[in-house]
Amino acid sequence: MQHYETLFVLKPTLTEEEINSQVEKVKGILAKEEAELIATNTMGMRKLAYSVEKNNRGFYTVLYYKAQGTTIAELERNLRNNEDVIKFLTVKYGKAKEIVQFNKLVALTNRSSQPQASQVSEPSESQPQISEPSEIGESEQA
Amino acid sequence: MADNKKFKKRYCKYCEAKIDHIDYKDLSLLKLSLSERFKIMPRRLTGNCKNHQEMVTVAIKRARHTALIPYIVDRKNVVENPFEILK
């Protein structure tokens, strides 16, 4: 079993029910292939940086799961044939170091999906605050 | 102006923040290595270390593929506020 992450973008023209059914459909494929779904990050409706199939917005969903390698071929075949999916990307977390990061991402999504008082008390620990990147602007002005 | 540039010490912002993995969905991290036209900035301008530059390069390419950030910004495809979509 390997660790994988799949992001897919659904068309903005779908209704809420249709979006849910599409997401469930993808999860159903994973379940059928005996993959272990660990976390789901619903990024929601976002503006696309460039138009894809004449769509300017898209509904982003990220799935974190453990699966056999053959699952990916089946999953991607289904995503490719599905006309409601306009973009998808699968990333494999293979090395031990990457798996540590995978677990961190899972913990992060689990935390953000349950908005509680604890979240306010520890503001995004895994995303260290960086000073505003004025560096880029300055270097270009100079 | 040239003098300021000469004495400005560049450093790797990712090392400073102790980031050991750059996620392609975390646009606030990618922002540090992007120009106004969403090009990948070279190390000689940003001061990134080799390790982090390689990580951020892969992450930016993934983010481009998933339409999180644009491939190009040109006259046909103008972004009014370049960094607004990164929020």
Side-chain angles (χ1 to χ4, degrees):
Chain A
M1 297 285 259
Q2 301 274 3
H3 295 70
Y4 291 100
E5 169 196 331
T6 294
L7 175 145
F8 59 95
V9 187
L10 292 166
K11 276 189 179 172
T13 48
L14 304 178
T15 61
E16 205 167 306
E17 290 163 15
E18 282 173 321
I19 285 172
N20 287 336
S21 73
Q22 289 291 347
V23 173
E24 287 305 317
K25 207 170 146 189
V26 177
K27 285 181 184 170
I29 295 163
L30 286 178
K32 207 175 72 186
E33 295 283 319
E34 295 177 352
E36 188 187 329
L37 186 66
I38 300 171
T40 310
N41 180 5
T42 307
M43 290 165 83
M45 198 66 87
R46 290 175 63 103
K47 218 175 163 184
L48 298 176
Y50 49 89
S51 60
V52 182
E53 295 172 18
K54 297 185 183 171
N55 296 307
N56 289 321
R57 291 181 307 147
F59 191 89
Y60 282 74
T61 314
V62 189
L63 301 175
Y64 297 92
Y65 54 94
K66 266 161 89 174
Q68 302 287 352
T70 51
T71 310
I72 304 303
E74 172 67 9
L75 180 71
E76 295 213 329
R77 188 182 69 79
N78 279 285
L79 288 174
R80 206 171 284 122
N81 292 345
N82 191 337
E83 288 189 353
D84 292 326
V85 177
I86 52 179
K87 282 270 177 190
F88 63 88
L89 177 73
T90 304
V91 179
K92 176 178 166 185
Y93 292 82
K95 294 173 192 158
K97 263 187 196 173
E98 291 168 348
I99 289 170
V100 173
Q101 299 305 325
F102 179 87
N103 292 330
K104 270 188 195 172
L105 285 172
V106 167
L108 188 68
T109 48
N110 285 340
R111 203 197 303 164
S112 57
S113 65
Q114 299 164 345
Q116 288 170 353
S118 62
Q119 201 187 359
V120 181
S121 60
E122 37 176 2
S124 62
E125 237 174 277
S126 57
Q127 293 178 334
Q129 293 294 318
I130 305 167
S131 58
E132 274 298 300
S134 54
E135 197 76 18
I136 295 167
E138 280 172 17
S139 62
E140 280 177 0
Q141 281 164 18
Chain B
M1 223 154 51
D3 286 350
N4 285 341
K5 209 172 178 186
K6 196 174 167 187
F7 290 107
K8 192 187 279 177
K9 172 77 181 160
R10 285 196 208 83
Y11 53 91
C12 179
K13 292 197 180 98
Y14 300 106
C15 285
E16 197 196 22
K18 291 188 179 156
I19 290 161
D20 34 8
H21 178 260
I22 298 172
D23 185 28
Y24 67 95
K25 297 185 292 298
D26 190 353
L27 301 183
S28 61
L29 289 180
L30 304 184
K31 198 173 158 183
L32 300 176
S33 296
L34 285 169
S35 76
E36 281 179 359
R37 285 183 168 239
F38 289 91
K39 293 178 177 186
I40 302 173
M41 296 282 281
R43 278 173 63 205
R44 66 167 189 274
L45 296 184
T46 56
N48 287 351
C49 71
K50 180 119 199 290
N51 204 353
H52 280 116
Q53 179 74 12
E54 283 172 2
M55 268 193 251
V56 83
T57 304
V58 173
I60 286 173
K61 286 174 182 175
R62 281 176 182 164
R64 280 177 180 167
H65 176 82
T66 51
L68 293 170
I69 58 173
Y71 279 100
I72 50 161
V73 178
D74 57 15
R75 271 178 277 179
K76 283 179 192 163
N77 176 21
V78 179
V79 178
E80 288 87 22
N81 297 317
F83 284 115
E84 195 188 300
I85 59 170
L86 290 182
K87 276 170 195 168

